[in-house]
Amino acid sequence: MKNSRRTFIKLAGIAAAGLAVAPKKVLASSGGHSPVKVNATASHAKHWAMVIDTTKLHTAEAIDELAKVCHHIHNVPSIEGKKEVKWLWHDTYGHSFPEQENPHLAEEVHERVFPLLCNHCENPPCVRVCPTKATFQRPDGIVAMDYHRCIGCRYCMAGCPYGSRSFNWGDPRLNLDMANLNPEFPTRMRGVVEKCNFCVERLAVGKQPACVEASNGAMFFGDLKDPDSEVRKVLREKFTIRRKPSAGTEPSVYYII
Amino acid sequence: MYNGFAIVAGLVIFFAMLTAPFALGTMTKQYKEPELKLPVNEKECIESTEYMRTNHMQLLNEWRDWALRDGKRTYTNHAGKEFSISLQNTCMKCHTSKADFCDKCHNDAGVSPYCWDCHVQPEGLK
């Protein structure tokens, strides 16, 4: 048969018509469908949030106890001084809520110490400045870190108004108790920034964050967008404040004062 | 030809050196796949051996994005069986030795993936 432009166009037309009537299954098998899904046991929320009752949880010892639980399950190294790595820690009222300082504040409130962690902001500056998208906001509001992508530029540390991020100046394994690691969770490597992850790995199997579980009811965790959730119930009943409102980052961690 | 001997000798030496790697390679013994220590209790991996041998690196790369970035931590294999996406908690629960499984091929192939800079190997860390 002689190949001409006319026969080519005819054949092309037939092929296009065939594609149009081809069963969807054939098309799907050629890619575009994913073999993965969310865990069946995972907890879901439109926006995860935490409420901390500082009338119940306000001593350094109690907060350090929670930090110990958190740091153990996430293999966070313990380093003293400027190179410290922390996911959950405590600080004074003045340092925690600098804009809400009040010279005539009730002494008892002023003497409390406050548990601090990554605020998982609704409007996270760290995500905006990260050049590699190593830190990103998940659809459920959690600001997550992908340590595979972190290049250690520390823009996120400069961007975070809460000091919630730590840099691994050296190999974190040098400061970990190797015999007492949590084998279920990785460590980090030298040269990456790390922070609290709202226990995404526990939410993925339907558990509450470790600090919430260990707090004896002083911390609440749930869906901020669900009016019937526990956090919304607590927020309705109690007066709460958030850290550094003028930064405009809309933290997802609320403090009952 | 001027300096014929030197030119021909030089050419012979040049080609000998150029083809030396191929000649030496065919003369010495054939490459053999290292003997891996396979899991005792499990007969089947998440995908076929052939698939895992050629694609485990791509699969692990996809796994890390699916679990971490997309929050999808359940993988359905070609046979329809489901697995939890995790290097440490799924792969290494069967392949209980990094030294006897991962390292054997990686050492032979001269690749050193940096998975273990963060992930904890089943033997534990020293």
Side-chain angles (χ1 to χ4, degrees):
Chain A
M1 191 176 74
K2 196 179 148 218
N3 265 337
S4 67
R5 192 179 309 183
R6 184 182 291 265
T7 52
F8 172 75
I9 291 171
K10 271 186 200 159
L11 282 172
I14 293 166
L19 259 187
V21 297
K24 282 281 180 290
K25 216 172 160 188
V26 176
L27 286 175
S29 67
S30 64
H33 92 121
S34 162
V36 279
K37 57 184 178 194
V38 176
N39 275 359
T41 54
S43 322
H44 299 278
K46 285 210 182 74
H47 192 98
W48 289 114
M50 186 183 277
V51 182
I52 301 173
D53 189 344
T54 65
T55 60
K56 289 182 190 156
L57 180 66
H58 52 73
T59 60
E61 295 77 44
I63 297 162
D64 287 349
E65 204 55 46
L66 299 183
K68 226 169 94 185
V69 173
C70 167
H71 288 182
H72 173 251
I73 68 163
H74 295 115
N75 295 328
V76 178
S78 43
I79 307 167
E80 296 284 324
K82 282 186 171 173
K83 295 179 181 176
E84 74 173 335
V85 177
K86 54 197 195 318
W87 284 31
L88 176 63
W89 72 105
H90 64 81
D91 211 336
T92 59
Y93 185 89
H95 287 165
S96 308
F97 304 99
E99 295 157 5
Q100 288 125 304
E101 272 271 43
N102 169 353
H104 310 297
L105 198 68
E107 258 174 40
E108 181 263 320
V109 173
H110 223 173
E111 278 160 14
R112 286 181 197 167
V113 291
F114 294 82
L116 305 178
L117 65 156
C118 170
N119 278 306
H120 297 277
C121 307
E122 283 173 42
N123 181 19
C126 52
V127 169
R128 210 159 52 229
V129 296
C130 178
T132 62
K133 294 281 168 283
T135 187
F136 59 100
Q137 191 174 31
R138 290 162 36 111
D140 59 7
I142 292 177
V143 177
M145 273 296 294
D146 184 345
Y147 301 106
H148 303 114
R149 285 197 200 184
C150 180
I151 55 169
C153 70
R154 290 175 283 145
Y155 278 27
C156 58
M157 294 180 78
C160 178
Y162 306 102
S164 293
R165 292 169 165 269
S166 312
F167 186 63
N168 284 294
W169 291 96
D171 186 354
R173 289 180 175 179
L174 299 177
N175 293 290
L176 274 166
D177 180 8
M178 288 303 177
N180 196 22
L181 278 184
N182 173 17
E184 313 265 293
F185 200 82
T187 68
R188 265 70 56 197
M189 63 186 289
R190 175 175 159 267
V192 297
V193 174
E194 62 173 279
K195 68 171 196 65
C196 149
N197 64 354
F198 253 15
C199 284
V200 274
E201 83 284 359
R202 288 170 65 88
L203 294 171
V205 293
K207 288 189 201 159
Q208 290 261 298
C211 54
V212 176
E213 208 175 87
S215 70
N216 286 324
M219 289 162 116
F220 307 91
F221 194 77
D223 190 354
L224 195 66
K225 296 281 160 72
D226 171 14
D228 301 322
S229 70
E230 204 184 3
V231 282
R232 283 289 293 276
K233 191 172 147 268
V234 179
L235 288 175
R236 249 196 310 273
E237 286 168 0
K238 304 274 187 176
F239 175 73
T240 49
I241 58 173
R242 291 186 286 177
R243 298 184 67 200
K244 297 193 183 176
S246 71
T249 63
E250 301 285 326
S252 301
V253 177
Y254 295 75
Y255 293 87
I256 299 173
I257 297 299
Chain B
M1 188 156 60
Y2 294 112
N3 297 325
F5 177 75
I7 290 170
V8 171
L11 278 175
V12 167
I13 292 167
F14 173 71
F15 277 106
M17 284 169 76
L18 193 72
T19 55
F22 301 99
L24 285 174
T26 45
M27 279 190 294
T28 50
K29 61 178 187 284
Q30 199 73 32
Y31 171 75
K32 266 199 0 223
E33 268 175 19
E35 297 238 338
L36 301 181
K37 198 173 164 196
L38 293 171
V40 193
N41 307 319
E42 252 345 290
K43 284 277 159 286
E44 277 175 23
C45 197
I46 58 160
E47 298 286 1
S48 69
T49 312
E50 280 311 304
Y51 183 88
M52 292 311 289
R53 199 171 279 158
T54 48
N55 291 318
H56 69 277
M57 46 307 245
Q58 276 96 340
L59 190 79
L60 286 171
N61 230 0
E62 286 174 340
W63 267 28
R64 77 181 193 190
D65 281 351
W66 283 331
L68 207 61
R69 302 190 78 88
D70 306 344
K72 294 179 175 166
R73 290 170 187 254
T74 301
Y75 176 78
T76 315
N77 74 2
H78 283 102
K81 208 174 159 202
E82 286 183 357
F83 293 90
S84 183
I85 294 183
S86 171
L87 172 64
Q88 255 172 254
N89 301 320
T90 302
C91 304
M92 305 317 284
K93 284 279 144 77
C94 286
H95 301 289
T96 48
S97 173
K98 169 183 171 271
D100 287 337
F101 188 75
C102 310
D103 288 353
K104 286 232 168 130
C105 287
H106 288 166
N107 289 347
D108 265 25
V111 290
S112 37
Y114 45 82
C115 310
W116 311 105
D117 287 0
C118 294
H119 290 275
V120 182
Q121 59 215 54
E123 302 89 312
L125 297 164
K126 277 125 254 157

